[in-house]
Amino acid sequence: MHIAFNAWFWNQPHTGSGQYLQRLVFALAKLAPEMKISLILPPNVTITESLPPNISAIPTTGRGGALGKVVFEQRTFPRMVKACGADLAHVPYWGAPLSSPVPLITSVLDVASLILPEYYATGVKGRAYNALISASAGGSAHIITISDSAKADIVEYLKIPPEKITTTYLGVDEVFHPKLGAENDALVRKKYNLPMSFVLYLGGFDYRKQVNQLLYAYTYLAQAEGDNYPLVMAGKEPDWSKRVFPDMRKYADQLNISDYIQWIGYVDEADKPALYRLSDLFVYPSMYEGFGLPPLEAMACGVPVVANALDIFKETLGDGAYLVENARTMGGAMIALLIQKPLRETMINQGLAQATRYTWRKTAQATLKIYESLLP
């Protein structure tokens, strides 16, 4: 079996699509060493890390930018799939070609751009691209998604029959562990100048992450315990003037909690397990996710988690996280998990148990089964 991957996001492991691509490919290579995997690289991208013997990288030429991405997806990738002799093609994000020389699998991680008005495509080019990828998804031999909640959205918004869609949950890397690698925690604390105790948010700052809810919820904690439990905001800060990035620094000033907040910016992937372990509590206020990996990573590190009671989190986090309905109950949950030791220990244990359900090996096994079903 020979699988060709669209590797547009290979060198972007900080994105959900890039992380999914890398973790899935390496897990497949380990699970099925007899399978050949070809990574069709976008222009000007090279792979510097060592690859397993059954993975090969195929470079391409062309231009970058939005137009270059469309050309790569629609023309270059299918051409290279045919040239390398692959049996199947897999596009691990929502950007498949309209036609493929072999059966095509497309991974649609979420459809936020069709559900949330703030993400609707603007301009003629944006709307045209949305129409293009929506049509291409429908022409795929099979669709992979990462939760049953996301599957329901795909059925509703892309009108794809449910029998053509399979849920393959994401995995939690083995490095996310309460003790494994803990000898580096002190170095990470020093690197980011972290306080001894703190509440953590790690993620993006776009509208759907609803960081404003976290900031408002934190006002309940800041009044009494702000000095003892400052709020650490981790993640690359965006251009706050853009439409999908409401200015959270300005909002923190309006709430009079800026003195209790530490913005540490981009966090290296290798430092994330230690960052989770060093925190006393992880809060994830997102209003829409295809899966939501960060809270599971935190749970796997032995950290109690607070998140919104969305269908997706009821599905993936279960009783491993403290799920809330609004900012007020989020604030109450934060205080309870910091000061009530029995509740805290219960949530930590339930979180650890829930996180063990998700491994990249399971993701690879489910994906391999789909590949096999599409071959004669």
Side-chain angles (χ1 to χ4, degrees):
M1 186 189 304
H2 182 183
I3 313 297
F5 275 89
N6 172 324
W8 182 270
F9 285 97
W10 184 267
N11 65 338
Q12 302 177 50
H14 56 282
T15 65
S17 297
Q19 190 175 60
Y20 170 70
L21 168 62
Q22 287 202 9
R23 300 296 190 274
L24 175 60
V25 165
F26 284 124
L28 283 168
K30 186 175 182 180
L31 175 68
E34 73 285 354
M35 180 172 61
K36 183 178 180 181
I37 299 173
S38 293
L39 300 175
I40 312 300
L41 299 177
N44 303 316
V45 170
T46 57
I47 296 179
T48 57
E49 64 262 51
S50 176
L51 296 176
N54 56 336
I55 300 179
S56 60
I58 301 176
T60 64
T61 57
R63 60 187 294 181
L67 179 58
K69 183 171 180 285
V70 174
V71 172
F72 177 80
E73 292 168 350
Q74 299 299 321
R75 298 183 61 184
T76 305
F77 176 66
R79 186 177 73 246
M80 298 307 294
V81 167
K82 183 176 181 180
C84 75
D87 301 309
L88 298 171
H90 189 166
V91 179
Y93 66 98
W94 189 15
L98 282 170
S99 63
S100 171
V102 298
L104 174 69
I105 302 98
T106 303
S107 294
V108 180
L109 308 187
D110 67 58
V111 288
S113 61
L114 301 181
I115 293 177
L116 303 176
E118 290 77 11
Y119 295 82
Y120 290 170
T122 57
V124 175
K125 291 181 180 179
R127 290 192 294 271
Y129 182 72
N130 252 19
L132 175 64
I133 60 176
S134 296
S136 67
S140 300
H142 204 79
I143 299 292
I144 290 176
T145 194
I146 52 179
S147 68
D148 289 340
S149 294
K151 179 177 178 176
D153 290 340
I154 293 168
V155 171
E156 179 178 355
Y157 288 90
L158 294 182
K159 309 303 179 186
I160 295 174
E163 59 269 19
K164 283 189 64 175
I165 309 169
T166 299
T167 297
T168 65
Y169 291 112
L170 302 184
V172 177
D173 254 359
E174 294 177 355
V175 296
F176 296 101
H177 190 277
K179 296 181 180 179
L180 186 66
E183 64 274 9
N184 297 319
D185 290 3
L187 295 176
V188 172
R189 187 188 298 277
K190 183 177 180 180
K191 178 178 178 179
Y192 297 97
N193 191 30
L194 298 170
M196 292 306 296
S197 298
F198 60 93
V199 175
L200 174 66
Y201 171 75
L202 171 62
F205 295 95
D206 53 298
Y207 174 80
R208 67 171 167 152
K209 299 302 183 182
Q210 214 163 235
V211 174
N212 60 307
Q213 179 187 346
L214 168 58
L215 295 180
Y216 189 80
Y218 182 73
T219 61
Y220 293 95
L221 178 62
Q223 294 172 11
E225 295 288 342
D227 288 324
N228 295 324
Y229 295 104
L231 177 61
V232 170
M233 305 295 285
K236 183 180 178 181
E237 289 188 57
D239 179 352
W240 296 114
S241 66
K242 291 189 176 180
R243 182 173 63 125
V244 296
F245 297 111
D247 193 333
M248 291 297 99
R249 280 187 174 262
K250 182 178 180 180
Y251 186 55
D253 285 340
Q254 293 172 349
L255 294 174
N256 294 316
I257 56 173
S258 293
D259 290 345
Y260 304 116
I261 300 177
Q262 186 174 337
W263 304 78
I264 64 173
Y266 175 78
V267 175
D268 291 331
E269 287 295 315
D271 296 336
K272 287 182 178 179
L275 181 62
Y276 286 128
R277 282 192 296 265
L278 290 168
S279 69
D280 294 87
L281 177 65
F282 182 73
V283 187
Y284 202 67
S286 181
M287 66 183 293
Y288 177 82
E289 295 287 335
F291 185 81
L293 197 52
L296 275 167
E297 292 172 344
M299 287 156 56
C301 290
V303 179
V305 168
V306 177
N308 279 321
L310 310 177
D311 287 344
I312 178 59
F313 291 147
K314 293 175 183 177
E315 177 184 349
T316 58
L317 306 183
D319 63 2
Y322 196 130
L323 302 182
V324 300
E325 299 291 343
N326 51 48
R328 182 179 61 82
T329 53
M330 179 172 283
M334 292 163 65
I335 294 171
L337 286 169
L338 289 171
I339 66 174
Q340 295 181 19
K341 188 175 180 180
L343 173 63
R344 178 181 178 82
E345 291 179 349
T346 296
M347 295 308 303
I348 288 173
N349 290 332
Q350 291 178 180
L352 287 167
Q354 182 72 4
T356 60
R357 297 178 54 196
Y358 302 94
T359 68
W360 285 108
R361 179 178 175 82
K362 289 182 179 179
T363 309
Q365 287 173 329
T367 305
L368 183 59
K369 190 174 293 187
I370 296 166
Y371 294 162
E372 292 171 343
S373 73
L374 295 175
L375 290 175

